Amino acid sequence: MYTIGADIGSVAVKVVLSKDGEWIDGLIAPTGWSPKSSGAEAIAAILDKNGLSRAQISRVVATGYGRNSVDCDERITEITCHAKGARRLFEGSGIRFVLDIGGQDSKAISLDEKYNVSDFLMNDKCAAGTGRFLQNMAVMLGCELKDFSLLPSDIEPHAISSMCTVFAESEVVGLLAQGVDKRALMLGILDSVASRAEGMLRRVGFSAQSGASGVAFTGGASRSRNLVALIERRLGVPLRACEKSQYAGALGAAETA
Amino acid sequence: MTDIESIFETMRNALSAGPVRIKEAVDEGRKIVGCYCAYTPYEVIRATGAIPVTLCSTSDKPIAAGEEHLPRNLCPLIKSSYGFALTDTCPYFHFCSIVIGETTCDGKKKMYELLNRLRPTHVMQLPQTYATESIALWKAEIERLARRLETELGVTITESDLKREISKRNTERRVMGDFYALSTLNPAPLSGLELNLVNEFFKVSFGDEKALELVRELTKALRENYEEGERRVAPRKRIIVTGCPTGKSLEKVFNAIEENGGTIVAFENCGGIKPNYELVDETRPPYDALAEKYLGIPCSCMSPNNKRLDLLEKLVADYHADGVVDIILQACHTYNVETFLVRERLKIPYIAVETDYYQSDVEQLSTRMGAFIEMMN
Ligand code: SF4
Ligand code: SF4
């Protein structure tokens, strides 16, 4: 039985094809201006790539902020899907918390022993602590998003005090003018995202004890090993991320299909 | 079976007819007294022959105007109330001869100082804890209100006037209580949106016997139809809404709950159960009884406010609730701080949502409420 999970995020569409609950294929495409057409195209593309037709898929489940704009059998929120996806990706690790940092939003989820959501917190109103904040900072510093993953680990981050994107920009300009090392500033920017993430996790019940078995880290930002290290330093427990972390929402959707 | 829809339709029409009815009352020589808060003792106002009305405070439209005098990071309810008055767009404010305010939260009491420049505003000094000495203070404040109204409106309030109005208001509370109790049935006989409609209707009933009779009729019809097997609402997760006062602009939260698998079975907020679940003791001297009843309203401006936690706990049991949604208006510190205690006390899923009167977060609310209800499955 084939199922498809489609996570229509604000920046990227993630689609997962699975068969009897097993991962078959995954695909990521930019969302662009129309979540409706990019969602439909991504689903068509993964079908095409695997030589399948829509009729052979028993269920398509959509999640993410654009879930209401695509044609599907069921819509489930990204909170539930991320929890299910994280369970699939890190099953057996005993994780009780999921941290997701995406393009426009971030979320912290706490799970019970059966990996069901027991509490969650979302930040989707302000750019701080999300991928968009990093994107803005990258543009301002004249570098690319991927450069935020290639920083040396032996430099101490230079603290950025402004949480708001607008204020942080002028703060960074000022610090650059004072001659602060650009790499230390980039680490400082990442650490401000890490600090937000830590705050959210603690508010859903994270502590060194309750989170001892680690925190699943999903979403696009989980690809930055510098960010991973900074969050781990704050939490004092390992973060669990893998190359499929970005697919957590789509995987969770495919799972419930 | 009785046609429930036609009763709701009558109520809907009454909402828009409210201002005209007040204008007619004014033309007939009645005085209008503007109110904002559940602590205002309606009985005292009615004993003067005047009509207490709830002033507009739940639309985002006048907020920009309000912000010309008030800081932006203030609760939208306060900015909206003041903005309505400033722009003269609340028909009830337009017709009222005096406004009654209370020193509930900081924002409101300071706003009343400005409001007083637009219309005489009598501010009652509300003690913020429920204790014997506080009740005595509050009784003195209620008496001071009575004297002010007597001077302002040129009437005398007699004890029998007060007793009559106390008994009448108690009847209103009982009728609303019976109506609310319908939603303890499982599945609920009506939706939260309909429940809210009846609350709004009650607000503009202005003590009218016929309006009260309509609520009685609705309660009876809903119960009878239910017993005959009518199910107007599918079984869904049962949600209690609590927190800041709600209104038109916050219907977005009710929609988000009811479009994502939930049914609101009770509104604990002002405008719902909170101000109406306790009666004024008719066997006690009127001012004492009024002071005890009104100071006992469990608003977050009380400290401590354990009574609200007790009330919520009881409602959760009585209404067989699956979850509680706490609505926090932006910059409402008292309700916001209290979320910690509410979460701790309740043994069922709980979520606090911070929002304002603008409709820009409709999608986010839908995701939050959707995830909250999925969490219960
Ligand atoms: S919540 Fe408190 S301040 Fe607001 S209307 Fe109710 S009693 Fe008054
Ligand atoms: S909602 Fe909170 S801040 Fe706003 S008027 Fe009521 S108590 Fe004050």
Side-chain angles (χ1 to χ4, degrees), chain B residues 292-351:
Chain B
E292 282 160 21
K293 144 73 198 168
Y294 277 94
L295 199 61
I297 293 174
C299 166
S300 63
C301 63
M302 288 291 150
S303 174
N305 189 26
N306 296 326
K307 208 172 157 187
R308 173 171 174 234
L309 307 181
D310 297 341
L311 171 61
L312 274 170
E313 208 168 45
K314 181 168 167 9
L315 294 179
V316 164
D318 291 354
Y319 287 79
H320 316 287
D322 297 304
V324 171
V325 174
D326 205 346
I327 301 182
I328 308 301
L329 289 175
Q330 253 161 40
C332 175
H333 305 316
T334 52
Y335 275 105
N336 205 358
V337 172
E338 228 168 79
T339 58
F340 186 86
L341 297 172
V342 179
R343 176 189 296 273
E344 200 178 60
R345 173 73 83 88
L346 296 177
K347 299 282 173 290
I348 61 168
Y350 165 84
I351 189 172

Side-chain angles (χ1 to χ4, degrees), chain B residues 84-311:
Chain B
F84 265 117
L86 200 60
T87 53
D88 197 19
T89 43
C90 165
Y92 303 118
F93 187 87
H94 181 83
F95 289 115
C96 76
S97 23
I98 182 169
V99 174
I100 314 301
E102 292 79 13
T103 54
T104 46
C105 63
D106 290 352
K108 257 190 175 172
K109 73 181 179 203
K110 298 308 284 183
M111 181 272 278
Y112 291 139
E113 295 174 13
L114 303 186
L115 196 72
N116 189 39
R117 302 171 356 152
L118 302 172
R119 194 65 45 96
T121 303
H122 177 88
V123 179
M124 302 179 74
Q125 302 291 327
L126 180 79
Q128 314 220 316
T129 195
Y130 193 80
T132 318
E133 313 83 70
S134 306
I135 297 172
L137 283 173
W138 187 232
K139 181 188 165 194
E141 278 301 295
I142 297 179
E143 285 171 330
R144 192 170 67 88
L145 169 72
R147 300 297 86 81
R148 172 87 190 257
L149 288 173
E150 285 178 332
T151 327
E152 208 77 39
L153 307 174
V155 291
T156 318
I157 301 174
T158 65
E159 185 164 328
S160 71
D161 290 334
L162 259 186
K163 286 193 159 162
R164 183 191 65 238
E165 294 306 332
I166 287 175
S167 145
K168 204 172 147 198
R169 188 71 175 157
N170 273 347
T171 305
E172 293 179 14
R173 292 193 182 100
R174 277 193 211 97
V175 170
M176 289 309 285
D178 289 347
F179 166 69
Y180 294 145
L182 282 173
S183 297
T184 57
L185 293 168
N186 196 357
L190 75 166
S191 73
L193 287 177
E194 290 163 341
L195 199 55
N196 180 54
L197 166 67
V198 180
N199 279 335
E200 295 291 319
F201 172 75
F202 179 57
K203 253 192 231 166
V204 297
S205 63
F206 311 125
D208 180 7
E209 251 319 307
K210 286 202 291 291
L212 206 58
E213 198 42 50
L214 193 63
V215 178
R216 279 201 196 94
E217 200 184 304
L218 174 69
T219 308
K220 185 161 168 275
L222 278 169
R223 193 174 288 280
E224 282 173 2
N225 286 11
Y226 192 88
E227 278 160 10
E228 285 170 38
E230 186 188 52
R231 292 294 175 269
R232 310 178 62 258
V233 183
R236 296 175 135 214
K237 294 294 167 194
R238 302 167 62 83
I239 307 294
I240 291 179
V241 168
T242 179
C244 297
T246 59
K248 196 77 202 146
S249 301
L250 294 177
E251 280 171 17
K252 61 182 180 180
V253 184
F254 314 158
N255 287 326
I257 294 172
E258 300 210 314
E259 282 165 11
N260 285 290
T263 298
I264 302 170
V265 290
F267 289 94
E268 182 269 345
N269 328 49
C270 282
I273 291 173
K274 187 179 349 231
N276 293 318
Y277 79 113
E278 286 181 331
L279 302 179
V280 180
D281 187 346
E282 294 180 37
T283 64
R284 308 252 301 123
Y287 285 110
D288 292 273
L290 284 169
E292 282 160 21
K293 144 73 198 168
Y294 277 94
L295 199 61
I297 293 174
C299 166
S300 63
C301 63
M302 288 291 150
S303 174
N305 189 26
N306 296 326
K307 208 172 157 187
R308 173 171 174 234
L309 307 181
D310 297 341
L311 171 61

Side-chain angles (χ1 to χ4, degrees), chain A residues 1-4 16-25 52 56-58 88 254:
Chain A
M1 190 178 86
Y2 289 104
T3 57
I4 283 181
V16 166
L17 172 72
S18 62
K19 188 180 183 193
D20 305 320
E22 287 308 313
W23 168 286
I24 301 288
D25 199 5
L52 293 165
Q56 287 169 275
I57 310 297
S58 45
R88 169 46 56 118

